[in-house]
Amino acid sequence: AQSVAQPEDQVNVAEGNPLTVKCTYSVSGNPYLFWYVQYPNRGLQFLLKYITGDNLVKGSYGFEAEFNKSQTSFHLKKPSALVSDSALYFCAVRDLEGYQKVTFGTGTKLQVIP
Amino acid sequence: GAGVSQSPSNKVTEKGKDVELRCDPISGHTALYWYRQSLGQGLEFLIYFQGNSAPDKSGLPSDRFSAERTGGSVSTLTIQRTQQEDSAVYLCASSPPTGRYEQYFGPGTRLTVT
């Protein structure tokens, strides 16, 4: 069975500082990995994905994520946080080997402090 | 283009009543997912449809929950004999057929069972 862990319920960071939101995964084959963001009272929006290729993936709003196969991690990063980045972030995984169900983590609330 | 739409946006019902929630996916998307998001919780997978294949119902929490997808497009999630623990936001998402695996989410239906 596939699974995703987001070990931090909340991450606080000062505006202008770099941010990292952690995600680790477990799948039987090669993974497809995703990050989604949910702003207050809004639906989930796709941020970025890793399918294959370069381990560093760039996405929307200046976010990027690094795929690390040996550590089974896919941490979300941004060099300089904005107050408007405050939201709930979800990591998700899908097994590449034909099993198409997507499993989401429990979410990490990012609070950017002015 | 038009995104995923869901109706109603809000539904208040009495315990024991049946409810139907509707999802209109993006045109041409073959995969459709239903999730449940309870307050302060992550996304709980409910059911997955892919084209004409048999749906993956492994996430449905009880036999009171059922879903169908007519003509490979619109989907309806039905909850019979609603209970207070069914109160949550029900999210629908769709994905394109091949090559791109990210999900596009609707705004959700907030269900309150009194």
Side-chain angles (χ1 to χ4, degrees):
Chain A
Q2 58 193 37
S3 65
V4 175
Q6 293 182 244
E8 302 153 318
D9 290 337
Q10 181 160 335
V11 170
N12 297 322
V13 63
E15 185 176 25
N17 282 3
L19 69 88
T20 299
V21 182
K22 296 179 180 176
C23 171
T24 58
Y25 67 90
S26 173
V27 294
S28 57
N30 292 313
Y32 289 165
L33 294 156
F34 308 86
W35 277 101
Y36 290 83
V37 60
Q38 187 175 35
Y39 297 103
N41 300 314
R42 293 174 63 179
L44 273 81
Q45 298 176 32
F46 167 73
L47 263 185
L48 52 78
K49 66 184 177 186
Y50 171 82
I51 303 298
T52 186
D54 195 346
N55 289 344
L56 185 63
V57 178
K58 295 186 183 297
S60 306
Y61 313 121
F63 283 92
E64 58 189 28
E66 185 167 11
F67 170 64
N68 188 315
K69 188 172 183 177
S70 63
Q71 297 185 6
T72 62
S73 67
F74 190 57
H75 301 331
L76 182 69
K77 300 182 180 184
K78 187 173 182 182
S80 179
L82 300 173
V83 172
S84 58
D85 293 330
S86 298
L88 188 58
Y89 291 81
F90 290 94
C91 181
V93 66
R94 175 188 153 180
D95 191 330
L96 229 174
E97 303 299 321
Y99 181 57
Q100 298 188 48
K101 181 175 126 181
V102 179
T103 300
F104 282 78
T106 52
T108 298
K109 182 178 179 181
L110 174 66
Q111 190 75 39
V112 181
I113 303 162
Chain B
V4 177
S5 61
Q6 293 185 245
S7 61
S9 55
N10 280 284
K11 177 71 176 180
V12 180
T13 190
E14 293 180 352
K15 177 181 173 182
K17 300 283 189 182
D18 298 351
V19 295
E20 285 189 351
L21 312 180
R22 176 187 169 104
C23 173
D24 274 281
I26 293 172
S27 178
H29 281 195
T30 55
L32 187 148
Y33 304 77
W34 282 99
Y35 296 91
R36 180 167 67 176
Q37 186 176 26
S38 303
L39 187 63
Q41 302 292 316
L43 271 69
E44 177 187 5
F45 166 77
L46 297 177
I47 188 168
Y48 160 66
F49 296 90
Q50 173 62 276
N52 295 321
S53 302
D56 176 354
K57 303 180 181 180
S58 61
L60 295 178
S62 78
D63 59 7
R64 296 186 296 106
F65 287 73
S66 62
E68 63 177 20
R69 189 178 185 191
T70 54
S73 181
V74 171
S75 177
T76 301
L77 177 68
T78 301
I79 309 173
Q80 297 178 311
R81 305 182 302 282
T82 53
Q83 305 294 314
Q84 287 187 330
E85 60 263 29
D86 299 335
S87 296
V89 176
Y90 290 81
L91 296 168
C92 175
S94 68
S95 289
T98 56
R100 294 168 56 195
Y101 301 96
E102 63 266 28
Q103 296 175 64
Y104 296 82
F105 281 82
T109 294
R110 181 176 298 277
L111 175 66
T112 304
V113 182
T114 61

